[in-house]
Amino acid sequence: MYTLDTAYVRHNSRNGRWEEDNIADRSVQALLSDGTDVWMFLLYPSITQPRAVLLEDIRNLTNGVANGTTVQEWLTALGNRTLPFHDEVPSFETHYVKYANAWHAGYHIEPITRIGTLSQQGSKWDKEDLLIWRKDVEPETLARNAMFTINGLFHPAEWGPEGVHIHMGNRTLRQTNDNQIGVHSFANVGQLSYVPITPDMVTSQREGAPLHTGVYVTLPDGVDMEGKTFLVVLGGYLQVLGKTYTRVGERTYRIELANLMMVERFYDSWKDLNLAEILGFTQYDYNDTLFEVKEILKDETVRKFLTMPQSFFVAVETDSFFQEIVAVESSGLPGRYYDHETTRYPLMGAYGRMLEYHPIEEDGITVMCTTPNQRHNYDFFRRPWTKSEGIDAGRYPYRPYTHTHAFYRLMGSQR
């Protein structure tokens, strides 16, 4: 008979972690109804080391099991049946994405044109990209193992002979009038590749359906889907396996903009990315934050938003990826948070925007000094704005904004 030695359970197969769990006394029916993924490590009198089997692979053997039967009782009843054991199993060791401020990490950064070189003459104001490099890091290695944020907003990147080009990075730097640049290392998680979103990849859910209610994006045939996890950056904000996008076909994803906080993020980044011009909104001299609702919701706007430089897919070479959001301790002062373990995890603030931070050691505690982290009390929150003619960034007079919480964005893989 089989005896359960240990088990690892993943309660969310799309965005969860494997955790060791004692399931021997759990009901088989309850375990199956949870929809969890389970690796069971079993002992048998004739074997000395536990052998691994996936519950999904032997689900058919649970047919007819009486209600209330425990996992161990079921395994005992299997007797000497041959099971589909796996020789290769995950180690369940957790590997995290880590963060470093590019300046602190010793990187050099200069404005550059898309196909230019560092020696190229010309004003830095005419150069839209940024080149990032460090002498001891090969450009290809850096590009395949890191994502980059410019003042909290993700930008695509590609490597060249002199370093890594961060697309439109210098334009964002000029727009924000700040030069905080973050390096998010996936070196221990999986190599990266970028897939830009082009207009021909975007389709509606059905004939005549407005894109703002839901849109399909189909990746090109040349994109390798095998053994990868796909993340999505929309307008500079990273989406990780949440409700915003769902894989609905072999290479097709459904993006639900209603789950994106699209308008809040628009006002959070509209100056930084020059969104009014990119999206083609009518602008009014007397109120530069006033925009017509019909323009925000029209299909052309959605297409421009999805195909702007800061909207793209990221393929991570791992089939096991998780995200967990964990609150960090605030000092009570704006932009100052405590890290008691010097973890160097990515930090996220209001609206899902990343927080660039400088770690400073004080009395054995790391103080994370971040870029501003404000949540605004917009007036359009207080009415059904989609039925209005227009909206602006006007805020409620009482507490127009708050310095808000920050969160570790724990991302990684288990393999």
Side-chain angles (χ1 to χ4, degrees):
M1 67 176 185
Y2 292 102
T3 302
L4 181 67
D5 180 68
T6 187
Y8 283 85
V9 176
R10 184 168 62 178
H11 296 283
N12 184 339
S13 61
R14 187 165 183 252
N15 189 21
R17 295 202 222 184
W18 291 102
E19 298 176 350
E20 189 172 357
D21 193 0
N22 183 8
I23 63 172
D25 295 328
R26 288 193 61 185
S27 162
V28 172
Q29 297 300 333
L31 190 64
L32 294 173
S33 65
D34 285 346
T36 56
D37 295 332
V38 182
W39 278 99
M40 296 187 296
F41 292 80
L42 308 180
L43 289 169
Y44 192 76
S46 62
I47 59 176
T48 58
Q49 294 295 325
R51 300 291 306 278
V53 64
L54 270 170
L55 177 60
E56 184 62 28
D57 290 346
I58 56 174
R59 177 182 285 266
N60 63 308
L61 300 181
T62 65
N63 295 335
V65 172
N67 289 335
T69 301
T70 66
V71 171
Q72 184 54 65
E73 290 172 342
W74 167 59
L75 292 173
T76 301
L78 290 179
N80 60 356
R81 285 180 183 242
T82 300
L83 302 182
F85 290 115
H86 290 255
D87 292 327
E88 295 183 7
V89 297
S91 67
F92 306 108
E93 181 180 353
T94 302
H95 302 271
Y96 291 101
V97 174
K98 293 300 185 74
Y99 170 87
N101 181 283
W103 303 108
H104 281 199
Y107 286 95
H108 302 277
I109 302 156
E110 291 287 345
I112 196 169
T113 60
R114 183 64 48 86
I115 58 174
T117 64
L118 283 176
S119 60
Q120 184 178 9
Q121 299 299 313
S123 171
K124 64 181 181 180
W125 304 103
D126 297 327
K127 300 175 180 179
E128 295 185 328
D129 292 354
L130 289 174
L131 187 75
I132 180 171
W133 79 96
R134 205 172 72 184
K135 289 184 178 179
D136 60 338
V137 181
E138 288 294 326
E140 182 178 1
T141 300
L142 179 59
R144 293 190 183 279
N145 289 280
M147 291 183 67
F148 303 93
T149 46
I150 309 297
N151 297 314
L153 298 170
F154 283 96
H155 289 58
E158 64 179 339
W159 61 277
E162 294 184 302
V164 175
H165 287 247
I166 303 176
H167 291 185
M168 306 303 288
N170 193 43
R171 174 180 283 190
T172 301
L173 188 148
R174 296 199 312 267
Q175 288 287 128
T176 53
N177 196 30
D178 200 357
N179 65 347
Q180 303 304 311
I181 299 169
V183 180
H184 301 256
S185 174
F186 284 68
N188 295 322
V189 177
Q191 290 197 335
L192 308 173
S193 56
Y194 295 88
V195 183
I197 302 175
T198 57
D200 59 298
M201 294 162 56
V202 179
T203 56
S204 61
Q205 300 178 85
R206 60 185 182 279
E207 186 70 28
L211 295 182
H212 73 84
T213 62
V215 60
Y216 289 152
V217 177
T218 301
L219 303 186
D221 292 339
V223 176
D224 182 10
M225 309 291 291
E226 190 68 28
K228 293 181 173 62
T229 298
F230 283 82
L231 315 180
V232 183
V233 175
L234 297 173
Y237 297 83
L238 177 64
Q239 310 300 131
V240 179
L241 304 175
K243 295 181 179 179
T244 301
Y245 71 105
T246 306
R247 189 171 178 176
V248 295
E250 181 180 352
R251 52 184 63 252
T252 300
Y253 289 83
R254 184 174 190 270
I255 296 177
E256 304 215 26
L257 299 178
N259 295 324
L260 187 62
M261 296 190 294
M262 186 172 176
V263 177
E264 294 92 324
R265 288 179 174 179
F266 172 82
Y267 280 118
D268 183 54
S269 63
W270 75 280
K271 284 187 177 180
D272 302 340
L273 299 179
N274 198 20
L275 286 178
E277 180 178 323
I278 289 175
L279 301 180
F281 288 166
T282 301
Q283 299 182 59
Y284 299 91
D285 294 336
Y286 59 87
N287 185 348
D288 62 357
T289 71
L290 176 62
F291 302 105
E292 298 177 25
V293 169
K294 65 181 181 182
E295 290 187 342
I296 295 174
L297 299 180
K298 67 181 182 180
D299 287 358
E300 183 181 355
T301 298
V302 175
R303 290 184 186 277
K304 289 179 178 179
F305 174 72
L306 292 176
T307 57
M308 64 184 290
Q310 293 81 11
S311 294
F312 51 94
F313 279 79
V314 182
V316 187
E317 286 193 13
T318 177
D319 55 6
S320 171
F321 197 89
F322 66 82
Q323 174 179 257
E324 183 178 355
I325 307 300
V326 178
V328 301
E329 181 181 353
S330 173
S331 69
L333 299 173
R336 297 295 182 269
Y337 305 94
Y338 293 142
D339 180 355
H340 293 272
E341 299 178 3
T342 315
T343 56
R344 300 296 192 267
Y345 294 133
L347 200 62
M348 185 175 69
Y351 311 114
R353 185 166 178 165
M354 305 308 294
L355 295 175
E356 316 292 1
Y357 66 87
H358 300 266
I360 299 175
E361 303 293 335
E362 293 185 2
D363 298 326
I365 298 176
T366 299
V367 179
M368 295 179 288
C369 306
T370 78
T371 49
N373 182 26
Q374 298 174 347
R375 185 173 294 277
H376 298 276
N377 191 6
Y378 292 119
D379 186 58
F380 65 79
F381 281 152
R382 300 174 178 272
R383 63 181 188 274
W385 66 266
T386 56
K387 299 179 181 178
S388 304
E389 291 291 326
I391 60 173
D392 65 11
R395 299 174 297 181
Y396 198 63
Y398 177 67
R399 289 188 179 176
Y401 67 91
T402 57
H403 295 284
T404 191
H405 305 289
F407 303 85
Y408 288 131
R409 192 169 200 171
L410 304 182
M411 298 180 288
S413 65
Q414 291 175 306
R415 59 182 190 273

